[in-house]
Amino acid sequence: MSEQRSPVPAPAPPGDAPVPPGDEGDGIGADPLTDRIARDMRAGLRVAGLFILTAVHLGLALPALLASLRGYDQPWVQLFAFTLLTLLIMVDALLGADGRGRPRAWVVLGLTCTVVASTVSTSRLPVEEFIGTPHWTFLEIGWFGVLLLFDAGLGPTLVFIGGHLAVTLGQLLLAGVPTREAASGMAVSALAICTFQVAAAMLARSLGECAADASATAREQERVRTEAAVAAQVHADQRARYAELDRSVLPLLTGLADGSLSPGDAAVRRRSAVEAARLRRLFAERDHAHDPLLHELRAGIDVAERQGVDVQLAVRGASAPVDRRLRRALTEPVLAALATAEHSARATVVRSGGLVRVSVVTDSPRTTLTALTEIPEPAERGVRVRTVRSEGRLLVEVSCILDTAVDGAASDGAASGEGDGAALAAVPAARGHSSSSEVSPS
């Protein structure tokens, strides 16, 4: 090619600058799928923990409190502690209704109120009633730690449960030293109660691993589905290409093979050139090019150059996204016109304001110019084809509007005036000997 003008790419906006390696983030929240699964699992376990705490509070602690209420020297202290813990459960349930995490201030306040309620309630018990039915707070204080420290992990929860045991043990020693039998019973009761609480805290710890495994499984399933969809699409594309070859290339090859078509016939040679250009374009469609339209057009131009035709290519305007079917409709008439060229041709690609125009001027023999029906009509809606013939020259222009929001008058003016000047100038003026045809499918 003796001439080529390539568009200068516009500078990218500052917000679209690529992120350099290593600046994508610190890894926190880098996997949205894992975060979403973990968030859903936390929400479910939070509801389960709140349900367990409510059941212990109303099903175990309240009956124990009511059964021992007459035995307390100051029953109002126990009722105050129970009311305070009830308010904590209600407020935490309201905070969790919107699905957001617990505020740090609320966690600190809730744990402080829990420890105060437990300490005040236990301070009024005699030594023989520790970790018994009157000591109703010991049944549920650890569950408050499991619930409020759910998002903090296993360590803080174990520290809270251990701290509560230490405070209770200190109050027990201040109240008096229990007998060996009483101490053994207290230890067994404390072990049984705290085992369930520690097990729930360990379940919360394993949440992150479960979320990671679940997200990995979901990603694998999505990958398999994507591969199956891609394979099905590739298979469908291949079948469509083979069907197109069955209609055009195979009959030509069959005719050449059985002798019904002669390679010396000019029409057969032109038909072979057109099919060769289509095949090259078909192969170019599989390439990853920055400008697919220009890349596929160059594939057809290369076939013409191999036939000894000097082709000049001019490109104006930046690359615009054009789907495959529309690219085929834009290049099909041009490839057919290039096959008529004898010595030289000039191709032009103009893209401006949502309008895409591909045109070519060839030095076609007069016998070829009479076969205008060999220029294929567009199969896509909105594609316009214009053919102009003059003495020894053939102009084929294909255009379409990509952006429907472009003002119609401006588009029509661009289609009829901007790009036609250079192309039609290459066609010698020959009044009385030129004609044109325009096809606009609906």
Side-chain angles (χ1 to χ4, degrees):
M1 304 177 192
S2 60
E3 178 184 356
Q4 179 174 341
R5 303 177 186 176
S6 300
V8 179
D16 297 337
V19 180
D23 293 346
E24 293 86 351
D26 55 2
I28 300 177
D31 190 351
L33 181 60
T34 302
D35 293 343
R36 179 173 59 83
I37 294 177
R39 185 168 58 252
D40 295 341
M41 295 178 68
R42 286 194 186 98
L45 287 181
R46 180 174 181 174
V47 173
L50 190 62
F51 178 79
I52 292 174
L53 178 57
T54 304
V56 172
H57 184 67
L58 299 179
L60 296 179
L62 180 58
L65 170 63
L66 296 179
S68 307
L69 190 59
R70 295 183 179 181
Y72 299 122
D73 54 350
Q74 294 181 336
W76 67 269
V77 174
Q78 307 297 328
L79 294 176
F80 169 77
F82 185 85
T83 303
L84 179 60
L85 295 178
T86 303
L87 291 177
L88 290 177
I89 295 175
M90 295 175 61
V91 173
D92 190 77
L94 293 177
L95 291 177
D98 56 358
R100 295 183 298 178
R102 295 179 176 87
R104 186 181 299 271
W106 164 247
V107 173
V108 175
L109 178 62
L111 294 177
T112 302
C113 294
T114 300
V115 173
V116 169
S118 174
T119 304
V120 171
S121 175
T122 308
S123 64
R124 312 302 302 175
L125 296 178
V127 63
E128 63 274 6
E129 294 181 350
F130 267 74
I131 315 184
T133 301
H135 194 186
W136 57 271
T137 57
F138 192 80
L139 298 172
E140 60 177 345
I141 294 302
W143 288 110
F144 277 92
V146 172
L147 181 65
L148 296 177
L149 295 174
F150 176 75
D151 296 328
L154 179 62
T157 305
L158 295 180
V159 170
F160 178 81
I161 295 176
H164 177 248
L165 286 175
V167 172
T168 303
L169 180 60
Q171 289 183 297
L172 174 62
L173 296 179
L174 290 177
V177 179
T179 62
R180 180 176 300 178
E181 292 78 5
S184 300
M186 294 178 185
V188 172
S189 299
L191 180 62
I193 294 173
C194 293
T195 297
F196 290 101
Q197 299 169 355
V198 173
M202 294 179 65
L203 177 63
R205 180 188 180 184
S206 64
L207 176 65
E209 299 178 358
C210 293
D213 294 341
S215 64
T217 303
R219 284 194 300 270
E220 180 65 19
Q221 293 176 350
E222 183 65 23
R223 183 188 66 82
V224 172
R225 287 194 296 266
T226 301
E227 289 182 353
V230 169
Q233 184 62 42
V234 169
H235 181 66
D237 291 344
Q238 291 176 347
R239 290 180 63 89
R241 292 188 180 96
Y242 290 148
E244 184 176 354
L245 294 178
D246 287 338
R247 293 191 301 267
S248 58
V249 179
L250 293 183
L252 176 61
L253 296 177
T254 301
L256 293 174
D258 60 16
S260 59
L261 297 179
S262 174
D265 188 354
V268 174
R269 291 198 302 269
R270 179 177 180 273
R271 180 180 172 188
S272 300
V274 172
E275 297 302 335
R278 288 174 178 172
L279 286 175
R280 291 294 299 270
R281 182 189 61 187
L282 186 64
F283 297 149
E285 290 178 354
R286 305 290 296 176
D287 299 337
H288 295 279
H290 172 69
D291 193 338
L293 176 62
L294 193 59
H295 181 65
E296 295 167 14
L297 180 61
R298 282 171 174 165
I301 292 176
D302 183 68
V303 175
E305 290 181 332
R306 291 176 183 269
Q307 302 296 326
V309 179
D310 181 20
V311 183
Q312 297 179 348
L313 174 63
V315 181
R316 299 181 180 88
S319 174
V322 183
D323 61 69
R324 179 182 301 174
R325 295 187 303 177
L326 195 55
R327 294 198 306 268
R328 289 183 180 180
L330 288 170
T331 57
E332 187 73 17
V334 175
L335 298 182
L338 283 173
T340 67
E342 189 173 17
H343 299 291
S344 63
R346 177 180 177 84
T348 305
V349 179
V350 178
R351 290 169 291 201
S352 176
L355 176 69
V356 177
R357 182 191 301 109
V358 182
S359 61
V360 64
V361 180
T362 66
D363 59 342
S364 304
R366 184 179 300 274
T367 56
T368 306
L369 289 176
T370 60
L372 287 179
T373 55
E374 296 183 6
I375 302 299
E377 296 183 358
E380 293 296 322
R381 183 182 182 88
V383 178
R384 303 176 61 186
V385 177
R386 175 182 299 176
T387 57
V388 179
R389 57 173 178 163
S390 182
E391 296 178 351
R393 293 288 177 177
L394 172 64
L395 166 66
V396 175
E397 181 184 85
V398 192
S399 62
C400 70
I401 298 177
L402 300 180
D403 188 2
T404 56
V406 177
D407 183 72
S411 301
D412 292 340
S416 60
E418 178 184 348
D420 294 345
L424 292 176
V427 182
R431 296 184 179 180
H433 298 280
S434 64
S435 63
S436 64
S437 64
E438 182 172 319
V439 182
S440 179
S442 59

